[in-house]
Amino acid sequence: MRTSLILVPLCLALASCTKNPAPTSAPPVDVVLIGAGVMSATLGTMLKELDPALTVTMFERMDSVSAESSDAMNNAGTGHSGFAELNYTPETPDGGIDTHKAVDINEQFEISKQFWAYQVQKQYLGAPQTFINNVPHMSFVWGAENIAYLHKRYDALQKENLFKGMVYTEDNEQLRKWIPLVMNGRDPKQKVAATRMELGTDVNFGALTRSMVTHLTGTHGMTLNLRTQVEDIKRGDKGLWNVTVKDLADGQKRTVQAKFVFIGAGGGALPLLEKTGIPEAKGYGGVPVGGQWLVTNNQALIDAHAAKVYGKASVGSPPMSVPHLDTRIIDGKKALLFGPFATFSTKFLKNGSWIDMPASIGTGNVKPMLGAGVDNIPLTKYLIQQVMNTPEERLATLREYLPQAKLEDWTLVNAGQRVQIVKDDPKKGGILQFGTEVVASADGSVTALLGASPGASTAAPIMLKVLQASAFRDQLKTSAWRAKMKEMVPSYGRKLNGDPAFANQIRQQSSAVLGLKTLVLDVPPAVAASAPSAPAVPHAVAAR
């Protein structure tokens, strides 16, 4: 009897005790997008451009679009391109610098810029300044060991075409011109160093997502269902998926049939993926990590800083917790943030449930979850330390980047919630995996996106991976779809870093449309002679 009393509320909480309603009599939907964030909006836009006849339905549990991870205050807003993020360029055992990840992320961000430029040209998004603006990206370090690392990093990146134009300095006077707040009040005897890249960007992913969804609903006929929670996803007849949803306004449930389901629900993707029952979902777990910003309303401070200044992460910290003093452009206004400070809860979403994490653990992933916990003691210690931080301790961290910071100028604001992937590994048992991962059924009829950083910045290339793994993969190989993909992403199927002439052409095209700075790379004469001439780009501005 006592066991029953315990199991009943748990069963109700997991929504597994009631029978799902039968599918509605409406025709099956071609595409169901779960989550109204930048990932679903990007995939929906791509698919409707590739095939306007597709019927698309989007479900979102919140009462507005991009209210979770895509919201401006719930993410870093950095156009992640590897310019400043030191965790993307680890030191190798022999003392060198591995630049592969930084180059790969830069390549991916160039794809996103092309995709956004296409939409701006088509007048889908409005003025680009509403969602993307140039803000220099800087790495800033102190101490002999860190300075030596940064100099090696700079030297290594100068061999990569996409990073040409980066500037390195240890000169305090130069730094005072670039980042006066960071230098004012600093001990003149402290050795510091920095790199700076003028091509850096700040992106308001919330504004971008809302514009894409507005276009999808207004022009492409996508059906948007807000305050609608996906309760279950089960295999139906004839290869269809039965997606059961609940209207959060009246509690009514209904089941929609879909040919293809994309689970792009941020931290909420893992529990929904588990509900599908596909074997590919086994072995995945998740560790939720939240964040908080220190935000200033002191206009003098906001006006005096104009850069994204990234430092080195603490030992054991997740990538999303790399500290940075960050200029943001949100809804046309400059803002200044510092952080993020990590938090921990068992919620998978900022507006999620406290039982999200325990409910996600089952026989299929309990072993890797335990293994990951044992192997990541530094992360556990880091999260505990962060949660226990006092206002004075947070201020002390801020003063490492802003020596004259005053507690009264800064307010602590909750940021978004991310879920780091725990993945079963044949040798290690369970590994905590940083980044994003596409999980798809064998037939491609359901795909899910798991993970975090670099996230939104690489939404377009990630959605290309989703298409390649999805039920649309054969159509993607057709000449018609490939031609359309090249129209949306002119570099589709090609890399930029090894081809400076092509990189110049692509960067100038997208930068001209988006109103961003660009930089003309040096091209060997023999290569320049054989390369097609780039079109005129009168709106492009050369970065200095």
Side-chain angles (χ1 to χ4, degrees):
M1 182 68 177
R2 183 176 298 174
T3 302
S4 299
L5 290 174
I6 294 172
L7 290 177
V8 167
L10 178 61
C11 192
L12 289 173
L14 298 178
S16 59
C17 287
T18 57
K19 188 176 180 180
N20 293 328
T24 63
S25 58
V29 177
D30 290 320
V31 178
V32 161
L33 303 172
I34 302 175
V38 68
M39 297 299 178
S40 291
T42 299
L43 181 60
T45 300
M46 281 186 177
L47 283 171
K48 289 297 280 186
E49 288 294 297
L50 291 164
D51 185 356
L54 290 172
T55 54
V56 182
T57 295
M58 178 181 283
F59 294 112
E60 169 58 50
R61 62 193 293 273
M62 302 295 290
D63 58 7
S64 60
V65 171
S66 69
E68 276 281 354
S69 297
S70 299
D71 182 69
M73 292 301 292
N74 288 345
N75 64 64
T78 300
H80 284 295
S81 42
F83 293 146
E85 305 91 324
L86 302 180
N87 54 306
Y88 295 157
T89 48
E91 199 164 8
T92 58
D94 64 358
I97 300 293
D98 185 349
T99 62
H100 290 88
K101 187 170 184 179
V103 171
D104 181 54
I105 288 172
N106 196 296
E107 292 267 14
Q108 291 184 60
F109 188 59
E110 291 294 337
I111 291 174
S112 289
K113 287 198 297 182
Q114 292 171 68
F115 181 63
W116 301 334
Y118 167 82
Q119 294 179 75
V120 170
Q121 283 182 310
K122 293 288 185 178
Q123 299 184 333
Y124 297 165
L125 298 179
Q129 291 76 22
T130 60
F131 68 88
I132 188 167
N133 292 274
N134 274 123
V135 174
H137 286 192
M138 296 184 64
S139 302
F140 179 80
V141 299
W142 55 89
E145 184 177 338
N146 290 337
I147 291 172
Y149 160 78
L150 187 64
H151 201 292
K152 284 195 299 183
R153 178 184 191 268
Y154 167 76
D155 288 341
L157 288 174
Q158 288 310 288
K159 299 173 185 176
E160 310 293 350
N161 282 310
L162 293 176
F163 291 80
K164 298 291 177 63
M166 180 180 285
V167 179
Y168 174 90
T169 188
E170 297 177 22
D171 182 66
N172 283 13
E173 289 308 310
Q174 180 62 68
L175 288 170
R176 200 175 301 279
K177 294 176 183 178
W178 286 340
I179 44 175
L181 292 185
V182 175
M183 298 305 293
N184 290 346
R186 187 172 296 277
D187 182 352
K189 295 180 181 179
Q190 184 184 40
K191 298 292 186 181
V192 296
T195 56
R196 181 178 173 95
M197 194 68 165
E198 292 289 341
L199 300 188
T201 57
D202 173 75
V203 185
N204 184 336
F205 292 105
L208 173 64
T209 302
R210 288 188 289 273
S211 293
M212 283 195 286
V213 171
T214 296
H215 173 68
L216 282 168
T217 56
T219 302
H220 280 308
M222 182 186 78
T223 303
L224 173 63
N225 302 269
L226 298 175
R227 286 189 57 74
T228 305
Q229 181 165 294
V230 176
E231 298 276 292
D232 206 0
I233 309 171
K234 288 288 184 285
R235 286 275 190 188
D237 296 330
K238 301 177 181 178
L240 299 174
W241 287 94
N242 293 332
V243 182
T244 301
V245 299
K246 180 170 74 174
D247 187 323
L248 297 180
D250 59 18
Q252 293 296 310
K253 291 185 180 183
R254 59 191 172 98
T255 298
V256 176
Q257 289 190 308
K259 298 176 183 178
F260 170 72
V261 177
F262 172 65
I263 307 173
L270 178 60
L272 292 174
L273 176 63
E274 291 174 336
K275 289 178 183 292
T276 66
I278 62 173
E280 292 81 4
K282 292 182 179 179
Y284 282 98
V287 177
V289 180
Q292 293 177 313
W293 300 113
L294 282 174
V295 182
T296 184
N297 291 317
N298 185 324
Q299 195 61 45
L301 295 178
I302 296 170
D303 293 340
H305 188 76
K308 292 178 179 288
V309 180
Y310 273 67
K312 286 199 75 173
S314 302
V315 176
S317 64
M320 66 169 288
S321 297
V322 175
H324 43 101
L325 184 64
D326 205 352
T327 291
R328 301 290 308 277
I329 311 296
I330 300 175
D331 300 330
K333 292 183 63 177
K334 273 185 71 177
L336 183 58
L337 289 66
F338 178 77
F341 296 93
T343 63
F344 176 79
S345 81
T346 54
K347 293 182 179 181
F348 278 174
L349 292 165
K350 186 175 181 179
N351 297 282
S353 167
W354 294 105
I355 68 167
D356 284 344
M357 185 177 179
S360 73
I361 300 175
T363 56
N365 64 7
V366 65
K367 184 178 178 181
M369 286 290 288
L370 290 173
V374 171
D375 291 340
N376 287 275
I377 299 300
L379 174 61
T380 305
K381 291 180 178 179
Y382 170 79
L383 291 174
I384 292 172
Q385 178 265 320
Q386 289 276 289
V387 170
M388 299 297 289
N389 267 348
T390 65
E392 290 74 21
E393 287 170 329
R394 283 189 286 268
L395 178 65
T397 303
L398 171 59
R399 282 180 173 167
E400 292 181 332
Y401 294 85
L402 202 72
Q404 296 180 333
K406 299 176 182 178
L407 190 60
E408 60 265 28
D409 287 331
W410 299 83
T411 302
L412 192 65
V413 175
N414 286 331
Q417 191 82 351
R418 303 289 189 272
V419 176
Q420 303 292 161
I421 305 169
V422 173
K423 187 176 181 180
D424 195 11
D425 184 89
K427 296 181 179 179
K428 298 181 180 179
I431 55 173
L432 193 64
Q433 187 163 310
F434 300 113
T436 52
E437 182 149 342
V438 175
V439 182
S441 60
D443 63 358
S445 61
V446 61
T447 63
L449 194 66
L450 303 178
S453 182
S457 295
T458 55
I462 289 172
M463 290 308 104
L464 291 179
K465 292 180 181 178
V466 167
L467 288 175
Q468 290 162 358
S470 75
F472 299 99
R473 55 197 172 206
D474 290 336
Q475 288 164 276
L476 195 60
K477 298 174 184 177
T478 64
S479 58
W481 276 42
R482 288 183 64 83
K484 189 64 180 182
M485 283 304 314
K486 284 183 176 291
E487 183 183 351
M488 289 190 283
V489 180
S491 72
Y492 180 65
R494 294 180 63 180
K495 295 290 187 180
L496 303 182
N497 192 57
D499 189 340
F502 187 53
N504 281 340
Q505 178 179 334
I506 294 300
R507 272 182 164 175
Q508 289 180 52
Q509 287 174 337
S510 59
S511 295
V513 175
L514 296 174
L516 301 174
K517 296 176 181 179
T518 190
L519 180 72
V520 178
L521 302 173
D522 291 331
V523 181
V527 176
S530 62
S533 59
V537 284
H539 300 294
V541 180
R544 301 298 181 191

